[in-house]
Amino acid sequence: MGKVKADFEYDVVIVGGGPAGLSAGIYLGRKGVKTLLIERGRFCGAKNLFGGVVYTESIKTLAPEFPNVEPFPCERQVTEEGYLILTERGYVKLTHSKEDRTHSFTAFRAKFDPFLADVAQRAGVDLAPKTKVVDFLKDDDGNISGVIVDRPKSFFDSSPASISAKVVILAEGVNRVLSQKAGLYSRDFQPEEVVLSVKEVLQLPKGELEKRLGLKEDEGLALEILGFITQGYPGLGFLYTNKNSISFGIGVFLSELAKNRVRPYELLERAKTHPFFQRLFEGAEVLEYGAHLIPEWGYKGFPKFYGNGVLVCGDAGGFVNPLFKEGTNLAIYSGLLAGETAFLALEKGDFSEKTLKVYEEKLKESYFYKDLALAKNMKDLFLRNKHIFSTYPELLYEAMSLFFSAQGKFKREVIKEIITLIKKKRGFLGVLKDFLSFARLFW
Amino acid sequence: MLNLLVSIKQVPDTTNIRINPETGTLIREGVPAVINPYDISALALACNLKKTYGGKITVITMGPPQARLALKEAIEYFADRIILLTDRRFAGADTLATSYTLAEAIKFLEKTDRPFDLYLFGKQAIDGDTAQVGPGVAARLNVPVITYTIKIEELDLEKRKIVVQRKTERGIEILSARLPVLLTCEKEAGHPVFSPLSAILQAQKAEPEVFGADGRIPYDLNRLGLKGSPTRVHRVYTPEIKKQGKMINLDEVGVEAAVEEIIKLFKAKGVL
Ligand SMILES: Cc1cc2nc3c(=O)[nH]c(=O)nc-3n(C[C@H](O)[C@H](O)[C@H](O)COP(=O)(O)OP(=O)(O)OC[C@H]3O[C@@H](n4cnc5c(N)ncnc54)[C@H](O)[C@@H]3O)c2cc1C
Ligand SMILES: Cc1cc2nc3c(=O)[nH]c(=O)nc-3n(C[C@H](O)[C@H](O)[C@H](O)COP(=O)(O)OP(=O)(O)OC[C@H]3O[C@@H](n4cnc5c(N)ncnc54)[C@H](O)[C@@H]3O)c2cc1C
């Protein structure tokens, strides 16, 4: 590929300072590659929001000493994890205690991303915050060979600065504008390919969080919430404990919100009137509120992961496994693979698709690519089969109510009642069909 | 060539400030710190002056170690040299001690380098709000001070003369002064700066020169920090917001009775 003239010269430019971009940067920095990471936020994490739970294993690939780091970038370890299934007034709670108490932690992006950014900078990566990449720099053959940003070159030349790079790694998150511009996607994402999520951080009076949730100071809870929380729309709620506050949010497919003209914030407010949350959030103060999209186009919507001089990773590549809260860790893993590939290309001195194709091979060997391939029909099932979000939560709750109020009744009658209930709500054939279609996702 | 000094303070970002209702004090924990907005204007003014006249910008702050972040950011405004004054013995300073600490450091910089032509301060800090530090430093440096600057109309380096617009309650005053002079800046003083990529990159790598009360700057230890601060905080409280006006509930009294009531009230006040 031909050389281009630019104001700044780097070997690799990374677009986006989320976990994906930072991981690619950390890998390359440690290999001594001249790397620039560009982030449009005031600092890494400033513009971002997630649930969120982060997994120790993935963080250790970047900072082996984690969780023994100062200052600690997370909130609480997750010691209890599971599901909360809601009906309009009642709930079923199913959680398990975690054996490995350092398996995962809750965190805020505004604290977690700067931690990774610090690791990256110490690895030698140059960081340009408050800077937005607006376009690509191309060589004579039209191959990507750098980027153009919104910032001027110097105090005396206000034309936009250009930066040359042998490889550009796109880690721009769910709004995959540049990935599309690079030709890796052939179209915009559709409303049924993304979940719109809103989240509040609620602070309780000191000591109340532990008291109300039955936790100790070094314990934390992570709940996925199903059913009434989304008013039956396909989506999930979540509740994670931070040091002094609770992260509470809801995510629903954008297409469903648009079709039914519901705003996610209304769902959140409505959910707070449920007895479970009313009790939990009594006297709570809302510290923060925010919204963010989650990419759920998955396997079927995967882009081409590489082009001449360009790679895409993280949310921008669609690496999210919603059922298992895997997003941040997949951003880290795919970012590392992108970093590895760029390094390989630099060693070979070839940055064309021919070499960068290795990235796709690496991805295909990874567990998460296989996971997403396996679950390729999940989104469609969720959008098609709404019973999962309305009928079954109610059914489960009512069946349990019957079962546990069976005192003084002939038990065969109770079982009969439950069977009638199932018949009425969904029918045996329906249940069987749902079960099979769900099982088929993983088989 | 202009030699500029800008004095900045790191303050809590008041867009999300909260007061602890029990103690009445600011909750600083978790509140991100920013450069005092008026000091941003001072930095922007310095940047614009350097672009026009050439020269050098030195930025100084007194504060805790994390104030280094404010100084790093100052590099984005074309600053050349950044100075952090930090020491436990500086802590708890009121405006008297703050002015003393800054003025001595500035004298030290002038002695070891060269004198400044302009000293740029913010109009006031949005947390302390006294607007005393600028004038306090000017007095100690024995230079004239122009407060509430909104514009430099003229700057003649040969004649060492400056013409400045300042905002007053009655209107705009136009003053001229001989250099060196200390200006405290209003919001309008500096046009916003959209920093170039070169400066953004430099800012990330820049580290301030750090000075403490260790003797390099000849401080009288009794005039520093809490020790040198005669101000004692008697009490801090959140002013009670008094409900103003009388409420008439239409659902209770009906429109007609309400109108009558209002007319009666107006008459009693002499409005009607
Ligand atoms: C509500 C919610 C809850 C979640 N919960 C979890 C959870 O519990 N566990 C989990 O593992 N994951 C969770 N996720 C997913 C996780 O947050 C993402 O998968 C992860 O952050 C993806 O990282 P990334 O680096 O690919 O993208 P991002 O984190 O989105 O980072 C992209 C960055 O690129 C920057 N950028 C974009 N365009 C440009 C440009 N042109 N120029 C410069 N900079 C640019 C953006 O400012 C941003 O900082 C959740 C997500 C949401 C929305
Ligand atoms: C009644 C009272 C009680 C206080 N109690 C305490 C206390 O207990 N603990 C405490 O820490 N503080 C306390 N302060 C605050 C402290 O005295 C002031 O923050 C400090 O002296 C600066 O004054 P100011 O914020 O009013 O700045 P102003 O005079 O309003 O600032 C004007 C300009 O001076 C410059 N400037 C101000 N401060 C600095 C600095 N540190 N470094 C560089 N430039 C600067 C900036 O250019 C700024 O725009 C108190 C203030 C008052 C009025």
Side-chain angles (χ1 to χ4, degrees), chain B residues 19-265:
Chain B
I19 305 281
N20 181 336
E22 279 153 36
T23 59
T25 53
L26 226 60
I27 302 176
R28 284 181 190 262
E29 191 194 344
V31 178
V34 296
I35 299 175
N36 180 38
Y38 298 106
D39 303 355
I40 295 273
S41 299
L43 285 169
L45 176 59
C47 177
N48 294 329
L49 288 171
K50 181 175 166 183
K51 276 163 74 173
T52 317
Y53 299 93
K56 182 176 169 186
I57 302 174
T58 303
V59 181
I60 192 168
T61 192
M62 178 189 85
Q66 65 264 28
R68 91 181 229 285
L69 294 176
L71 289 170
K72 280 166 76 86
E73 196 176 331
I75 296 289
E76 294 172 12
Y77 294 85
F78 220 178
D80 302 275
R81 190 177 179 197
I82 48 180
I83 311 278
L84 174 62
L85 306 175
T86 191
D87 196 301
R88 278 177 184 277
R89 285 167 285 192
F90 294 155
D94 65 5
T95 55
L96 194 72
T98 303
S99 306
Y100 169 75
T101 312
L102 288 171
E104 289 306 311
I106 293 168
K107 284 183 199 162
F108 171 81
L109 293 175
E110 294 190 315
K111 203 151 51 177
T112 49
D113 196 358
R114 65 190 185 90
F116 295 106
D117 301 307
L118 276 175
Y119 309 87
L120 302 176
F121 282 64
K123 169 181 89 164
Q124 67 195 67
I126 55 165
D127 58 346
D129 256 345
T130 66
Q132 290 173 1
V133 173
V137 170
R140 283 172 179 77
L141 297 176
N142 204 17
V143 297
V145 54
I146 299 176
T147 50
Y148 308 113
T149 301
I150 54 172
K151 193 178 173 190
I152 294 181
E153 278 199 350
E154 205 186 306
L155 179 62
D156 192 329
L157 288 177
E158 302 240 302
K159 293 193 189 128
R160 303 210 42 84
K161 185 188 148 192
I162 190 168
V163 180
V164 168
Q165 287 188 9
R166 85 184 273 266
K167 195 152 94 181
T168 73
E169 276 170 16
R170 285 149 291 139
I172 291 169
E173 275 178 9
I174 299 174
L175 301 177
S176 88
R178 283 179 61 83
L179 297 181
V181 63
L182 189 147
L183 308 179
T184 80
C185 299
E186 282 277 2
K187 273 267 167 62
E188 303 91 315
H191 302 291
V193 172
F194 191 53
S195 312
L197 184 63
S198 53
I200 297 281
L201 288 171
Q202 267 170 28
Q204 287 296 312
K205 292 190 172 168
E207 283 302 333
E209 297 166 49
V210 182
F211 292 92
D214 51 13
R216 273 177 301 165
I217 300 173
Y219 281 123
D220 173 354
L221 296 182
N222 290 317
R223 297 175 71 181
L224 296 176
L226 206 56
K227 233 180 179 178
S229 300
T231 310
R232 290 289 166 267
V233 180
H234 172 60
R235 186 164 76 98
V236 183
Y237 66 97
T238 320
E240 213 177 297
I241 300 163
K242 291 216 177 73
K243 267 202 192 139
Q244 297 224 321
K246 185 177 155 79
M247 298 274 272
I248 302 168
N249 191 333
L250 280 188
D251 293 338
E252 278 169 20
V253 297
V255 178
E256 271 170 34
V259 172
E260 259 168 45
E261 173 78 14
I262 290 168
I263 290 173
K264 218 179 349 183
L265 283 171

Side-chain angles (χ1 to χ4, degrees), chain A residues 168-212:
Chain A
V168 174
I169 297 179
L170 297 173
E172 57 181 335
V174 59
N175 286 313
R176 58 199 206 192
V177 186
L178 291 166
S179 310
Q180 228 158 291
K181 210 165 184 169
L184 303 180
Y185 285 98
S186 56
R187 56 167 178 82
D188 284 337
F189 59 67
Q190 302 301 303
E192 56 275 2
E193 288 181 317
V194 290
V195 159
L196 177 58
S197 203
V198 291
K199 167 185 159 178
E200 275 185 1
V201 178
L202 295 128
Q203 186 164 48
L204 292 176
K206 206 175 152 55
E208 282 299 305
L209 188 155
E210 287 84 358
K211 213 158 85 191
R212 292 181 197 182

Side-chain angles (χ1 to χ4, degrees), chain A residues 16 18-20 39-40 48 50-51 53 109 133 172 197 315 325 327-328:
Chain A
E39 163 58 47
R40 66 179 169 189
N48 250 318
F50 81 151
V53 176
R109 297 298 300 271
V133 174
E172 57 181 335
S197 203
D315 271 14
K325 296 196 282 257
T328 306

Side-chain angles (χ1 to χ4, degrees), chain A residues 126-148:
Chain A
D126 281 358
L127 190 65
K130 309 183 217 182
T131 305
K132 188 177 170 189
V133 174
V134 291
D135 208 347
F136 295 108
L137 203 59
K138 296 203 171 153
D139 66 9
D140 295 339
D141 305 327
N143 294 321
I144 289 175
S145 29
V147 296
I148 298 166

